[in-house]
PDB file of all heavy atoms in Angstrom:
ATOM      1  N   ILE A 115      11.323  33.258   3.150  1.00 96.00           N
ATOM      2  CA  ILE A 115      11.579  33.481   1.726  1.00 96.00           C
ATOM      3  C   ILE A 115      10.376  33.042   0.904  1.00 96.00           C
ATOM      4  O   ILE A 115       9.955  33.737  -0.020  1.00 96.00           O
ATOM      5  CB  ILE A 115      12.849  32.746   1.262  1.00 96.00           C
ATOM      6  CG1 ILE A 115      14.074  33.300   1.979  1.00 96.00           C
ATOM      7  CG2 ILE A 115      13.028  32.868  -0.247  1.00 96.00           C
ATOM      8  CD1 ILE A 115      15.312  32.447   1.806  1.00 96.00           C
ATOM      9  N   LYS A 116       9.808  31.880   1.238  1.00 96.00           N
ATOM     10  CA  LYS A 116       8.643  31.374   0.500  1.00 96.00           C
ATOM     11  C   LYS A 116       7.473  32.341   0.631  1.00 96.00           C
ATOM     12  O   LYS A 116       6.756  32.600  -0.337  1.00 96.00           O
ATOM     13  CB  LYS A 116       8.233  29.983   0.975  1.00 96.00           C
ATOM     14  CG  LYS A 116       7.068  29.407   0.164  1.00 96.00           C
ATOM     15  CD  LYS A 116       6.668  28.038   0.649  1.00 96.00           C
ATOM     16  CE  LYS A 116       5.548  27.451  -0.178  1.00 96.00           C
ATOM     17  NZ  LYS A 116       4.354  28.269  -0.317  1.00 96.00           N
ATOM     18  N   SER A 117       7.282  32.899   1.801  1.00 96.00           N
ATOM     19  CA  SER A 117       6.196  33.858   2.012  1.00 96.00           C
ATOM     20  C   SER A 117       6.350  35.061   1.090  1.00 96.00           C
ATOM     21  O   SER A 117       5.379  35.517   0.474  1.00 96.00           O
ATOM     22  CB  SER A 117       6.172  34.306   3.474  1.00 96.00           C
ATOM     23  OG  SER A 117       5.210  35.314   3.661  1.00 96.00           O
ATOM     24  N   ALA A 118       7.571  35.564   0.979  1.00 92.00           N
ATOM     25  CA  ALA A 118       7.814  36.695   0.070  1.00 92.00           C
ATOM     26  C   ALA A 118       7.601  36.265  -1.378  1.00 92.00           C
ATOM     27  O   ALA A 118       7.003  37.001  -2.175  1.00 92.00           O
ATOM     28  CB  ALA A 118       9.232  37.218   0.268  1.00 92.00           C
ATOM     29  N   TRP A 119       8.067  35.084  -1.723  1.00 89.00           N
ATOM     30  CA  TRP A 119       7.918  34.558  -3.089  1.00 89.00           C
ATOM     31  C   TRP A 119       6.444  34.406  -3.432  1.00 89.00           C
ATOM     32  O   TRP A 119       6.017  34.703  -4.552  1.00 89.00           O
ATOM     33  CB  TRP A 119       8.646  33.224  -3.190  1.00 89.00           C
ATOM     34  CG  TRP A 119       8.800  32.723  -4.574  1.00 89.00           C
ATOM     35  CD1 TRP A 119       8.040  31.772  -5.185  1.00 89.00           C
ATOM     36  CD2 TRP A 119       9.756  33.129  -5.557  1.00 89.00           C
ATOM     37  NE1 TRP A 119       8.472  31.563  -6.474  1.00 89.00           N
ATOM     38  CE2 TRP A 119       9.527  32.391  -6.718  1.00 89.00           C
ATOM     39  CE3 TRP A 119      10.795  34.063  -5.545  1.00 89.00           C
ATOM     40  CZ2 TRP A 119      10.287  32.553  -7.873  1.00 89.00           C
ATOM     41  CZ3 TRP A 119      11.551  34.210  -6.689  1.00 89.00           C
ATOM     42  CH2 TRP A 119      11.292  33.463  -7.832  1.00 89.00           C
ATOM     43  N   ASP A 120       5.648  33.945  -2.471  1.00 91.00           N
ATOM     44  CA  ASP A 120       4.209  33.738  -2.689  1.00 91.00           C
ATOM     45  C   ASP A 120       3.478  35.048  -2.979  1.00 91.00           C
ATOM     46  O   ASP A 120       2.397  35.034  -3.567  1.00 91.00           O
ATOM     47  CB  ASP A 120       3.568  33.079  -1.459  1.00 91.00           C
ATOM     48  CG  ASP A 120       3.996  31.635  -1.274  1.00 91.00           C
ATOM     49  OD1 ASP A 120       4.558  31.031  -2.222  1.00 91.00           O
ATOM     50  OD2 ASP A 120       3.792  31.104  -0.157  1.00 91.00           O
ATOM     51  N   GLN A 121       4.043  36.172  -2.592  1.00 91.00           N
ATOM     52  CA  GLN A 121       3.384  37.464  -2.776  1.00 91.00           C
ATOM     53  C   GLN A 121       3.730  38.134  -4.103  1.00 91.00           C
ATOM     54  O   GLN A 121       3.221  39.218  -4.397  1.00 91.00           O
ATOM     55  CB  GLN A 121       3.736  38.381  -1.608  1.00 91.00           C
ATOM     56  CG  GLN A 121       3.150  37.866  -0.300  1.00 91.00           C
ATOM     57  CD  GLN A 121       3.498  38.730   0.870  1.00 91.00           C
ATOM     58  OE1 GLN A 121       3.520  39.949   0.765  1.00 91.00           O
ATOM     59  NE2 GLN A 121       3.747  38.109   2.007  1.00 91.00           N
ATOM     60  N   ILE A 122       4.544  37.484  -4.919  1.00 84.00           N
ATOM     61  CA  ILE A 122       4.866  38.049  -6.229  1.00 84.00           C
ATOM     62  C   ILE A 122       3.604  38.033  -7.085  1.00 84.00           C
ATOM     63  O   ILE A 122       2.931  37.003  -7.194  1.00 84.00           O
ATOM     64  CB  ILE A 122       6.003  37.251  -6.910  1.00 84.00           C
ATOM     65  CG1 ILE A 122       7.298  37.414  -6.104  1.00 84.00           C
ATOM     66  CG2 ILE A 122       6.198  37.694  -8.358  1.00 84.00           C
ATOM     67  CD1 ILE A 122       8.447  36.550  -6.573  1.00 84.00           C
ATOM     68  N   PRO A 123       3.248  39.148  -7.690  1.00 83.00           N
ATOM     69  CA  PRO A 123       2.018  39.224  -8.490  1.00 83.00           C
ATOM     70  C   PRO A 123       2.019  38.214  -9.651  1.00 83.00           C
ATOM     71  O   PRO A 123       3.066  37.914 -10.243  1.00 83.00           O
ATOM     72  CB  PRO A 123       2.017  40.658  -9.021  1.00 83.00           C
ATOM     73  CG  PRO A 123       2.875  41.421  -8.065  1.00 83.00           C
ATOM     74  CD  PRO A 123       3.926  40.443  -7.604  1.00 83.00           C
ATOM     75  N   ALA A 124       0.847  37.723  -9.983  1.00 78.00           N
ATOM     76  CA  ALA A 124       0.676  36.683 -11.004  1.00 78.00           C
ATOM     77  C   ALA A 124       1.260  37.063 -12.360  1.00 78.00           C
ATOM     78  O   ALA A 124       1.743  36.198 -13.089  1.00 78.00           O
ATOM     79  CB  ALA A 124      -0.804  36.332 -11.143  1.00 78.00           C
ATOM     80  N   GLU A 125       1.231  38.343 -12.707  1.00 76.00           N
ATOM     81  CA  GLU A 125       1.737  38.736 -14.024  1.00 76.00           C
ATOM     82  C   GLU A 125       3.238  38.490 -14.182  1.00 76.00           C
ATOM     83  O   GLU A 125       3.762  38.518 -15.292  1.00 76.00           O
ATOM     84  CB  GLU A 125       1.398  40.189 -14.360  1.00 76.00           C
ATOM     85  CG  GLU A 125       1.969  41.206 -13.413  1.00 76.00           C
ATOM     86  CD  GLU A 125       0.997  41.647 -12.326  1.00 76.00           C
ATOM     87  OE1 GLU A 125       0.052  40.889 -12.007  1.00 76.00           O
ATOM     88  OE2 GLU A 125       1.190  42.742 -11.788  1.00 76.00           O
ATOM     89  N   TYR A 126       3.932  38.215 -13.085  1.00 69.00           N
ATOM     90  CA  TYR A 126       5.375  37.947 -13.156  1.00 69.00           C
ATOM     91  C   TYR A 126       5.718  36.462 -13.061  1.00 69.00           C
ATOM     92  O   TYR A 126       6.891  36.093 -13.130  1.00 69.00           O
ATOM     93  CB  TYR A 126       6.099  38.705 -12.034  1.00 69.00           C
ATOM     94  CG  TYR A 126       5.957  40.188 -12.141  1.00 69.00           C
ATOM     95  CD1 TYR A 126       5.144  40.886 -11.259  1.00 69.00           C
ATOM     96  CD2 TYR A 126       6.612  40.901 -13.139  1.00 69.00           C
ATOM     97  CE1 TYR A 126       4.986  42.261 -11.372  1.00 69.00           C
ATOM     98  CE2 TYR A 126       6.473  42.270 -13.248  1.00 69.00           C
ATOM     99  CZ  TYR A 126       5.653  42.938 -12.351  1.00 69.00           C
ATOM    100  OH  TYR A 126       5.507  44.302 -12.470  1.00 69.00           O
ATOM    101  N   HIS A 127       4.714  35.613 -12.926  1.00 71.00           N
ATOM    102  CA  HIS A 127       4.966  34.192 -12.703  1.00 71.00           C
ATOM    103  C   HIS A 127       5.598  33.457 -13.873  1.00 71.00           C
ATOM    104  O   HIS A 127       6.200  32.419 -13.679  1.00 71.00           O
ATOM    105  CB  HIS A 127       3.673  33.485 -12.304  1.00 71.00           C
ATOM    106  CG  HIS A 127       3.219  33.846 -10.915  1.00 71.00           C
ATOM    107  ND1 HIS A 127       2.247  33.142 -10.269  1.00 71.00           N
ATOM    108  CD2 HIS A 127       3.581  34.849 -10.069  1.00 71.00           C
ATOM    109  CE1 HIS A 127       2.031  33.687  -9.087  1.00 71.00           C
ATOM    110  NE2 HIS A 127       2.834  34.728  -8.947  1.00 71.00           N
ATOM    111  N   TYR A 128       5.434  33.936 -15.070  1.00 71.00           N
ATOM    112  CA  TYR A 128       5.979  33.229 -16.237  1.00 71.00           C
ATOM    113  C   TYR A 128       7.209  33.894 -16.819  1.00 71.00           C
ATOM    114  O   TYR A 128       7.681  33.509 -17.880  1.00 71.00           O
ATOM    115  CB  TYR A 128       4.891  33.076 -17.322  1.00 71.00           C
ATOM    116  CG  TYR A 128       3.921  31.974 -16.983  1.00 71.00           C
ATOM    117  CD1 TYR A 128       2.773  32.250 -16.254  1.00 71.00           C
ATOM    118  CD2 TYR A 128       4.176  30.664 -17.370  1.00 71.00           C
ATOM    119  CE1 TYR A 128       1.893  31.232 -15.928  1.00 71.00           C
ATOM    120  CE2 TYR A 128       3.298  29.645 -17.048  1.00 71.00           C
ATOM    121  CZ  TYR A 128       2.158  29.937 -16.324  1.00 71.00           C
ATOM    122  OH  TYR A 128       1.282  28.926 -15.994  1.00 71.00           O
ATOM    123  N   LEU A 129       7.746  34.878 -16.132  1.00 64.00           N
ATOM    124  CA  LEU A 129       8.949  35.544 -16.626  1.00 64.00           C
ATOM    125  C   LEU A 129      10.162  34.628 -16.425  1.00 64.00           C
ATOM    126  O   LEU A 129      10.332  34.037 -15.368  1.00 64.00           O
ATOM    127  CB  LEU A 129       9.202  36.856 -15.894  1.00 64.00           C
ATOM    128  CG  LEU A 129       8.199  37.977 -16.172  1.00 64.00           C
ATOM    129  CD1 LEU A 129       8.599  39.220 -15.397  1.00 64.00           C
ATOM    130  CD2 LEU A 129       8.140  38.287 -17.648  1.00 64.00           C
ATOM    131  N   THR A 130      10.970  34.532 -17.465  1.00 56.00           N
ATOM    132  CA  THR A 130      12.220  33.783 -17.386  1.00 56.00           C
ATOM    133  C   THR A 130      13.295  34.623 -18.036  1.00 56.00           C
ATOM    134  O   THR A 130      13.027  35.649 -18.660  1.00 56.00           O
ATOM    135  CB  THR A 130      12.128  32.419 -18.107  1.00 56.00           C
ATOM    136  OG1 THR A 130      11.934  32.658 -19.500  1.00 56.00           O
ATOM    137  CG2 THR A 130      10.998  31.565 -17.542  1.00 56.00           C
ATOM    138  N   GLU A 131      14.518  34.161 -17.986  1.00 46.00           N
ATOM    139  CA  GLU A 131      15.600  34.933 -18.571  1.00 46.00           C
ATOM    140  C   GLU A 131      15.507  35.012 -20.089  1.00 46.00           C
ATOM    141  O   GLU A 131      16.126  35.843 -20.717  1.00 46.00           O
ATOM    142  CB  GLU A 131      16.957  34.365 -18.152  1.00 46.00           C
ATOM    143  CG  GLU A 131      17.169  32.933 -18.587  1.00 46.00           C
ATOM    144  CD  GLU A 131      18.442  32.367 -17.984  1.00 46.00           C
ATOM    145  OE1 GLU A 131      18.470  32.106 -16.791  1.00 46.00           O
ATOM    146  OE2 GLU A 131      19.405  32.187 -18.756  1.00 46.00           O
ATOM    147  N   THR A 132      14.691  34.132 -20.732  1.00 44.00           N
ATOM    148  CA  THR A 132      14.555  34.178 -22.186  1.00 44.00           C
ATOM    149  C   THR A 132      13.482  35.157 -22.630  1.00 44.00           C
ATOM    150  O   THR A 132      13.373  35.444 -23.798  1.00 44.00           O
ATOM    151  CB  THR A 132      14.237  32.786 -22.754  1.00 44.00           C
ATOM    152  OG1 THR A 132      13.034  32.302 -22.167  1.00 44.00           O
ATOM    153  CG2 THR A 132      15.380  31.826 -22.470  1.00 44.00           C
TER     154      THR A 132
END
Side-chain angles (χ1 to χ4, degrees):
I115 296 168
K116 183 180 182 306
S117 175
W119 192 260
D120 290 345
Q121 294 179 39
I122 294 173
E125 61 264 23
Y126 298 107
H127 289 193
Y128 283 91
L129 291 181
T130 65
E131 60 188 72
T132 58

